[in-house]
Every structure is written in C-alpha cells, then in structure tokens.
Amino acid sequence: MAKGTVTQKIIDAHYVSGSKVPGEPVAIRIDQTLTQDATGTMAYLELEAMKTPSVNTELSVSYVDHNMMQNGPENRNDHLYLQTVAANKGVLFSPPGNGICHQLHLERFGAPGKTLIGSDSHTPTGGGVGMMAIGAGGLDVALAMAGKPFHIPYPKVIGVKLTGKLSPWCAAKDVILKLLSILTTKGNVGSIVEYFGPGVETLPVPQRATITNMGAELGVTTSIFPSDETTKKWLIQQNREASFAPLCADCDAEYDRVIEIDLSEIVPLAACPSSPDQIKTVAEIAGTKVDQVLIGSCTNGGYRDLALVAMALKGKRISPNVTLGIAPGSRPVLEMLSRNGLLADLVAAGARILEVGCGPCIGQGQSPANGTVSVRTFNRNFAGRTGTKGDQAYLVSPETAVAVALTGEFTDPRNLGFDCPVVEEPEKFWSDDEFFQKPAPGTEIIRKPTIGEPPLNNALPDELNGEVVIKVGDKITTDHIMPAGVHLKLRSNIPAYSKVVFECFTEAGKPSFAERAAAVRDAGKAGVIIGRDSYGQGSSREHAAICPMYLGVKIVAALAIERIHRANLINFGIIPLLFADPADYEAIEQGDALLFHGLRGQLAVGKPVTGELVKADGTKKEIIFNHPLSGEDIVMILAGGRLNCP
Ligand code: MIC
Ligand code: SF4
C-alpha cells in the first residue's frame, strides 16, 4: 500500500469511514464542489429532490461554460434555473462568459490539501495546485453538496518521477501525451497518479494543471502534484496567498508503481484520431495537411498558453489554408490579453476569437469539413465529438498548434526557424471576483417549461427477463452513449435527450437504440447493454446512465467498466456486471434473451451472479458475472437507485 504519499495524507485528513485496502471503498469528506451547466441542471434537480434546504460544504460553485450557443430558448432557460437555484441553495454562481469551470476554479478557489468533487471529468485540473480534485456524476456531487461523504475505491498510487527540464517548444501537454502513450486510456481504474521528483519545480502551476487535467484520459481517479514554493508563488499572483499550505510526499514514500519521465527528453507529440492515447511524434506526421486549428479549452486555455501563441504569431499571418479559432479559458485571461495588446496580435495574425468557454471542445460549433484534419489543443478526440462524422481530430500543445497554423501542415515547432517566445509571468493575474454572484437564500427558483424532473427507476425485480438491446466493442465512451454537441440543450429534458442514446450506431432505415429499447421495455422486459473493455470512458455525464435507465435498461455487462460511469449506473439502479469468463462476451448477440432468476437474492457482496443466455434458436448457456458492488450499492440497486433511498 502506498505510504507517505500526498494522496495518503489528503485521504487521512478527510477520512470518514471504510477500508484502507486498495480497491475497497473508502468514504472521504468533501470540502468543495463544482458543477457546470451541462451536468449541473440535473445535479441541482437532484439536490432539490433530496429536499436539501442549503448546501453543506466550505464552498460550492455553479459554472455556466459548456452550452452557450442559445440556439432556441433551452440554454437560457437552463441558465436562469441554474442562477436562481444557486442563489436559493447557497451556491456561488459563475455566469456565462466568466470562464471554463476548471480554469476559473483553479485560479480563484484551488487550494492545496483540500478535496473537491465536480460534475465534470476534468475536475482533476485542481491537482495542479495540490488538491485532491475528482470528477463524479451529478448525483454524487449533489450528495456532497448536501454534506454527505464521497466514496472512492481506496487508490493505488502510481508515482511519476519527473527529472530534467522541458526544452523550448516542448510543453506540459507533451508530458501528459507521453504518459498516455505509456499507460493508455484503459486499465488504470482505481489508481491516482502522483507527480514527484526534481522536475516538478521546473513546471509552473498552469503547466501542472494541464497535466492533471488530461490525466482524466488515463481513466484514473485523479492526478496530483505536491504543493511547493512554485504553488505559493502562483497563489500570490492570484492574490490568494492565504490559501497556501505546503504538501509533499515523504522522502521514503512508497508507490505501487513508479514511472520515470525525463522532461529534457520530451519532444512535441500529437494524439492521433480517435483516442487520446494514439500518440505519435509531430516529426513522424510532419507534412500532413491541416484545415483547422483550435486553441483553448480547460487543458490549454490559460494566460501562459494564449500569450505564447500571440507572441509567436506577432507580426506574422497564419497560412491561408487553415482557419484558426481561439477560445480563452476565462474572462480574466481574455481581459489580460486585451489589456496588454496580445489580443490585437492574435487578431492581426488572422485568428478568429471565439467566446470564452468550452465551445468547439464539446462540439459547440466549428465542426470540421468532411475528410479534413482538425488540430486542437484540447483533451479529447473521440470519434464524432467535433460534430462531424468520420472526423480526424489531433490533440497537440499550443506550441505545435502555432506551428501548424503558420504552415498549414503538421510541423515540428522546433523547425519554425525562430526562438520559442518566453512568456513573462505577470506579477499579479487580473481577476474580478465581482462577476461571481453570491447566494441569496429565499430567491425564487425560475423553472421554465423545458426544465424536467429527474426520472425515477423501479425497484429491481426478482425475476429479470432481459433482452440484449445493443452489443458494442472496446473503449466505448460516454460520448458514444450520450452525444453532446447540438444535443447539449436537451440535458435538462430526459424524455427528449433519451431519443439520441447510441445515436452514432444507428444504421439508416433501421430502428434506433431508443426505439428498440423502448419496445423491449413496453413488452415488460428489461434492456441489457453488452460492452467489452473499458466501457464508459470519458465524460462524467450521468445522462449516459439516466437516459438508458429511462428507456428500461437494467443491466450493463462488460469486461471492464470505467469508474465514474460505473458509479452513475449504480446511482440510477442499473447493475454493472463483469463477465467472469471473457469468452462469454463472444457468445452473446443483440436480440438474445438474458434471464436472471432470484436476482434480488443473488446480489450479495463479493458473490457472482448467474444469468441464463437464451439464443434465438432456443440454445441455452449459463453465464457467470462478477460485480464490484458494496453493501450500500446493493441496497441502492434493489431500491431502483439512490433517489428511491431515504
Ligand atoms: C467533456 O469534456 O466531455 C465534458 C462535456 O466536459 C463532460 C461533461 C459533460 O458531458 O457535460 C466531462 O468531461 O465530464
Ligand atoms: Fe469543457 Fe472541453 Fe474541458 Fe470538457 S474538456 S470541461 S468540454 S473545455
């Protein structure tokens, strides 16, 4: 077991109950929460359903950053609900235009040693400042807001020892891409990545935050840096020295695994279509023509990144063959760039300045043309996430993005022929906390007609007559299950949003998943989803559990299910099962019946569950499933989800 690590110290300081054995559930106290609009509407509806009069945390913040296109009234309806429910429940409200939740939270509220959970998978950005920041489903965040502890599997700690120093044109983004090439996006569930070693002090906090942000793509619980003099300096720049606390691992700390990365050996890297772990060096793909470059997001939308881009572009013009879009991460970042003239350099070079927020990262505009290459400084390039079917999205550092924007093709920035600009860190960062709206208890909650209710599940039947509605392969992300982009405005309306579950697998002229699942449900049967390895990667969106549940799905069986998605399934009364024999995955097909007899009695901690597979020709086969359910999880599942529990 990892001893003397930052991870262990923070867990010990927040321990409520449970085991300290890796993999066993441990409950920790949560100091801070954050929500964003796309997951927040459901989280606050759930908070209301729990009859919570006011939040019970040190700090809870509600951000509006994802969904700001306002195509139709739904978005603004959501914003008004979020603004008024925040005021009513004691939550600080960050209005649209203020910034991306992770960027702003790091700048204004990140504090070493604190715990934070957020209804967004990139909440680990806070690990850059030494906090234990974890992504979770909306219901878990609502429970934390109500003052309840949060459960995680007691983590294994992967220590990443950093040595050396990054060379010019090589960036923190290349470090996390390197780690993704080693650990990949699967097989890391239940671990926390902790950085240590002499290379740590060479990385300023925003660069550490780029690394912890994209650590989400590893599928780990979170990633964390120590809190040191660099952290202190950054908090002073943010006028928040009082939040500083030193925190580092003991010299003899024990990690479950150690990976060493020499920063001086890092070269510009790119994640190729369509997974963040498909890594090549930029040199290897040099010369590939590019049509679009996009810079920003919670990974690379901070002041240092955008200032570097502006300085590299100053006095030059981007290639006429590309479009360059820039979405600043926060209003303070945009304001600083405007005040010091760097914004003018970006505009003069040909950049299109987009709204402060997530924008194209979540498919809100800027979808690429068919068959073209899009280069992004973002953290995810899952197929179709850009809004274009068959898209070819690459993920790179801001340094590489500049080189591509100038040349119109993949170019190693070290070959640009001029020196990498050195961004002078401002003595003080611009900030204007007046934009955060303070709670006002008693505020009337505005609920326009597009705001629905969180749907409830039924108690688990003892005889479960299941039918396989879909069988999918490896690495199915929550973007595959519940597409975002143009559908984001339906997040507060489950009946409407449910129609697009697994939309990317709909074949022309054939019934959609939603139609098939509803038919199974209406025939009195339970829907079953079959996945393979690493099912439910990516976003924390609990809609990937709620909408299938609304369509009658009761079981998801796979070889492995990712942490946040598994928790969301349990919260909404769907049983996550794991094939005891991976070969059984091959035996099952869409349309097969999967029957569970005496299921309520079968569900017990650590005991497998037996199902009976019945094929169309009547052949039968017994299938054994394991499950990771704790006693509390089982109570919830039997009741049909957490909202049915007292
Ligand atoms: C994402 O990057 O996929 C999102 C959109 O921020 C999601 C949250 C959501 O689906 O609303 C995430 O990362 O959890
Ligand atoms: Fe927003 Fe993209 Fe970050 Fe998700 S990953 S929070 S969509 S910027």
Side-chain angles (χ1 to χ4, degrees), residues 172-248:
K173 182 65 159 280
D174 300 312
V175 177
I176 186 62
L177 293 177
K178 175 77 191 170
L179 193 60
L180 274 154
S181 76
I182 300 170
L183 288 175
T184 80
T185 58
K186 58 186 180 109
N188 307 310
V189 176
S191 300
I192 288 184
V193 173
E194 189 171 316
Y195 293 86
F196 70 104
V200 165
E201 66 180 29
T202 68
L203 297 172
V205 166
Q207 299 195 33
R208 297 177 184 184
T210 294
I211 294 173
T212 57
N213 169 286
M214 205 173 168
E217 275 41 81
L218 298 165
V220 294
T221 304
T222 190
S223 306
I224 191 161
F225 272 83
S227 166
D228 55 11
E229 284 305 306
T230 307
T231 319
K232 186 172 179 182
K233 181 176 159 223
W234 189 76
L235 285 167
I236 293 171
Q237 288 170 320
Q238 296 286 341
N239 279 326
R240 296 202 298 114
E241 190 179 355
S243 299
F244 177 71
L247 183 62
C248 63

Side-chain angles (χ1 to χ4, degrees), residues 225-485:
F225 272 83
S227 166
D228 55 11
E229 284 305 306
T230 307
T231 319
K232 186 172 179 182
K233 181 176 159 223
W234 189 76
L235 285 167
I236 293 171
Q237 288 170 320
Q238 296 286 341
N239 279 326
R240 296 202 298 114
E241 190 179 355
S243 299
F244 177 71
L247 183 62
C248 63
D250 297 340
C251 310
D252 58 353
E254 289 170 20
Y255 301 91
D256 295 285
R257 175 178 176 189
V258 174
I259 294 170
E260 187 162 338
I261 295 184
D262 181 352
L263 297 175
S264 10
E265 283 177 9
I266 291 287
V267 298
L269 296 172
C272 305
S274 292
S275 177
D277 60 3
Q278 296 302 303
I279 309 297
K280 289 202 172 140
T281 64
V282 175
E284 276 176 275
I285 49 175
T288 308
K289 295 279 173 253
V290 173
D291 186 63
Q292 178 188 53
V293 180
L294 290 167
I295 298 179
S297 88
C298 58
T299 322
N300 285 116
Y303 176 77
R304 179 257 170 211
D305 289 339
L306 301 194
L308 180 132
V309 170
M311 290 162 76
L313 290 180
K314 188 178 170 73
K316 306 182 187 71
R317 287 275 162 92
I318 59 167
S319 158
N321 300 325
V322 293
T323 59
L324 168 64
I326 297 194
S330 72
R331 186 198 307 270
V333 168
L334 179 58
E335 204 161 330
M336 280 166 71
L337 295 171
S338 335
R339 286 175 190 274
N340 65 17
L342 289 172
L343 186 63
D345 295 328
L346 288 172
V347 174
R352 297 162 66 182
I353 307 301
L354 311 177
E355 188 172 10
V356 167
C358 299
C361 178
I362 190 54
Q364 292 281 301
Q366 302 285 319
S367 298
N370 295 112
T372 61
V373 169
S374 174
V375 171
R376 303 166 163 231
T377 66
F378 308 162
N379 48 31
R380 289 191 172 143
N381 58 347
F382 304 145
R385 184 172 157 105
T386 62
T388 299
K389 228 178 172 164
D391 54 8
Q392 298 172 57
Y394 290 72
L395 308 172
V396 300
S397 68
E399 284 82 342
T400 298
V402 167
V404 177
L406 283 170
T407 59
E409 58 186 39
F410 267 104
T411 303
D412 187 323
R414 294 171 300 176
N415 297 335
L416 274 175
F418 59 92
D419 287 345
C420 182
V422 179
V423 178
E424 290 270 326
E425 288 205 11
E427 209 169 293
K428 291 275 180 224
F429 277 75
W430 179 260
S431 61
D432 190 346
D433 290 346
E434 291 293 305
F435 281 106
F436 287 99
Q437 296 172 17
K438 295 205 174 54
T443 299
E444 191 195 337
I445 301 175
I446 299 179
R447 224 180 291 272
K448 300 284 183 192
T450 52
I451 309 285
E453 290 294 327
L456 294 178
N457 200 348
N458 302 324
L460 184 75
D462 203 31
E463 289 296 307
L464 191 138
N465 187 356
E467 180 174 323
V468 177
V469 189
I470 195 167
K471 178 181 174 183
V472 288
D474 277 347
K475 296 216 278 193
I476 292 299
T477 71
T478 46
D479 277 73
H480 290 110
I481 306 170
M482 241 16 282

Side-chain angles (χ1 to χ4, degrees), residues 131-147:
M131 65 191 320
M132 182 168 285
I134 305 177
L139 184 47
D140 281 321
V141 176
L143 285 159
M145 284 194 268

Side-chain angles (χ1 to χ4, degrees), residues 560-634:
I561 303 178
E562 294 294 309
R563 175 187 64 90
I564 306 180
H565 186 57
R566 188 180 73 191
N568 287 337
L569 291 173
I570 298 169
N571 279 346
F572 289 93
I574 298 179
I575 317 181
L577 294 178
L578 304 175
F579 287 98
D581 177 359
D584 284 339
Y585 167 86
E586 308 300 337
I588 301 190
E589 283 161 293
Q590 186 177 310
D592 286 351
L594 196 56
L595 315 176
F596 292 87
H597 308 295
L599 182 55
R600 292 180 70 89
Q602 283 204 54
L603 278 180
V605 178
K607 295 262 172 62
V609 164
T610 307
E612 187 188 9
L613 174 69
V614 185
K615 309 285 294 176
D617 63 3
T619 26
K620 295 185 179 169
K621 182 179 193 311
E622 190 182 86
I623 299 201
I624 314 279
F625 298 97
N626 295 323
H627 64 75
L629 303 172
S630 67
E632 199 182 328
D633 294 339
I634 291 174

